[in-house]
Amino acid sequence: MKNILITGGAGFIGSRLALRLLEEGYAVTVLDNLLSQIHGKNPENDCPLYNSIAGKVNFINGDVAKRQEL
């Protein structure tokens, strides 16, 4: 099984890509900062994009602009 990292993977394109890769048998890790402008104030409850991948991928709440989080 191949491992895949998707940065911004909880957004519109990233979440769909993650789901497709899961269907193909990949182990998917998503790195996303869940910016409230995109995902709302409470993404765990209010964001269908985040909820479509929650529990299916290894999710890391982080920012690609912060080296230590990568």
Side-chain angles (χ1 to χ4, degrees), residues 9-12 14-16 18-19 22 43 47-57:
F12 182 76
S15 63
R16 283 160 174 72
L19 293 172
L22 287 169
C47 183
L49 296 173
Y50 171 77
N51 287 321
S52 71
I53 62 167
K56 299 175 185 172
V57 301

Side-chain angles (χ1 to χ4, degrees), residues 4 13 15 30 39 53 59:
I4 301 290
I13 294 170
S15 63
V30 166
H39 300 284
I53 62 167
F59 182 79

Side-chain angles (χ1 to χ4, degrees), residues 24-41:
E24 297 294 323
Y26 291 90
V28 178
T29 298
V30 166
L31 174 72
D32 200 300
N33 64 0
L34 297 177
L35 186 66
S36 62
Q37 181 181 6
I38 296 166
H39 300 284
K41 300 240 184 239

